[in-house]
Amino acid sequence: MILVRQEIGDVLRDFRQQKGHTLRQVAGRASVALGYLSEVERGQKEASSEILASVADALDVPISTIMREVSDRISVLEGVQAFPDVVPDDLVAEVGPELSLR
């Protein structure tokens, strides 16, 4: 069974570690209890949208980027092929450049 809270925690931890921040630093910047953030990262606690927004700000990562990564990971676990982020050139030619995502 896929647990969304586990994937969110894994993504938050990965971004934190990529930025070279400690759990204590991010918790302080996000005004979140250290123990609570640790439990969120381990997938033991659900994070509210407010907590996610605070942690995203503390990491200087858009929440949309965090949620996109969570979504991509869940898609892989479900065996669903991810959709491209841009419209292929051959489709842009058919529908017109005004619909391009570029």
Side-chain angles (χ1 to χ4, degrees):
M1 171 180 18
I2 298 170
L3 294 177
V4 175
R5 72 174 182 258
Q6 183 67 52
E7 296 307 317
I8 290 171
D10 289 346
V11 168
L12 292 176
R13 183 185 312 105
D14 288 348
F15 276 115
R16 178 179 59 77
Q17 290 174 341
Q18 287 171 15
K19 299 275 186 171
H21 299 315
T22 66
L23 197 59
R24 184 175 306 282
Q25 289 170 324
V26 174
R29 289 180 189 145
S31 299
V32 175
L34 176 66
Y36 183 76
L37 183 56
S38 175
E39 289 176 317
V40 168
E41 281 194 359
R42 288 181 280 137
Q44 295 176 335
K45 294 281 186 180
E46 299 277 350
S48 68
S49 58
E50 291 86 359
I51 296 289
L52 287 175
S54 293
V55 173
D57 284 344
L59 292 170
D60 195 31
V61 176
I63 196 163
S64 59
T65 301
I66 291 170
M67 298 312 291
R68 168 67 61 95
E69 180 65 23
V70 170
S71 176
D72 289 349
R73 289 177 183 218
I74 291 172
S75 292
V76 168
L77 292 172
E78 291 177 331
V80 176
Q81 182 179 4
F83 294 103
D85 289 338
V86 296
V87 176
D89 288 335
D90 57 330
L91 290 179
V92 171
E94 291 179 24
V95 297
E98 67 276 359
L99 296 179
S100 175
L101 297 175
R102 295 181 195 159

